[in-house]
Amino acid sequence: MKYLWPLRDEPKPVYPLIASVDPTDVGLRGEFSAAVLELNKEQNIEYISSASFINPDIERKLIKSSLYSAVIDWLKYLGVAEDISSRDLGKLGHELKVVLSEGGKAHDLTHVGVGVSQVFPILVMSLLANPDTTLIFEQP
């Protein structure tokens, strides 16, 4: 079982290092989401593509992709961002930047709407969860 509190962590220019033994744990408030993305971005996962929801006639099959590609797929589908990047800054933590429009400039989350900081931990947590995991989101 994985749980995410009702209010996610406020937007920051730099996010903390993972404090848990579990490298997929985004934290109760999503505060470790940037670190989790950075550590797992190349991990291959199976997920349902957003294209399955654009056209209801498409059979909803699991596809394989990197976590990073899956997060981008869903951020675009939700209309939240065009791209996202994380960078390990050593002891300082992890930087997280988003591009809001195609060809646009990358911004940290303090310069964009709160929606990105609210939905990003949900996506990372959901995409990394094992199929038999129960996910609980308060105020998704």
Side-chain angles (χ1 to χ4, degrees):
M1 178 168 52
K2 299 219 177 205
Y3 173 75
L4 200 56
W5 284 9
L7 297 174
R8 262 47 88 211
D9 206 17
E10 69 276 354
K12 298 176 181 160
V14 178
Y15 290 85
L17 300 170
I18 293 179
S20 171
V21 178
D22 180 359
T24 65
D25 181 11
V26 299
L28 289 174
R29 297 184 63 203
E31 65 271 24
F32 304 126
S33 299
V36 169
L37 177 63
E38 180 61 26
L39 289 171
N40 297 287
K41 65 184 172 188
E42 298 301 324
Q43 179 180 332
N44 283 322
I45 61 167
E46 286 187 326
Y47 77 105
I48 298 174
S49 169
S50 66
S52 298
F53 295 90
I54 294 169
N55 183 347
D57 296 330
I58 294 176
E59 183 183 342
R60 294 191 176 136
K61 297 185 282 187
L62 290 175
I63 63 169
K64 290 184 181 185
S65 179
S66 69
L67 173 64
Y68 172 77
S69 295
V71 168
I72 296 298
D73 175 25
W74 279 97
L75 286 174
K76 285 181 179 180
Y77 174 76
L78 295 170
V80 175
E82 284 293 313
D83 198 4
I84 195 161
S85 63
S86 59
R87 187 168 63 122
D88 187 346
L89 299 176
K91 292 180 183 179
L92 297 175
H94 288 84
E95 175 183 70
L96 187 67
K97 292 200 173 201
V98 295
V99 175
L100 300 178
S101 61
E102 194 170 325
K105 184 179 174 189
H107 300 279
D108 68 49
L109 297 190
T110 62
H111 294 117
V112 298
V114 176
V116 178
S117 66
Q118 297 298 300
V119 75
F120 177 65
I122 294 173
L123 287 175
V124 173
M125 180 190 241
S126 299
L127 291 166
L128 282 175
N130 291 323
D132 62 346
T133 302
T134 299
L135 302 175
I136 301 171
F137 307 113
E138 286 197 53
Q139 300 177 7

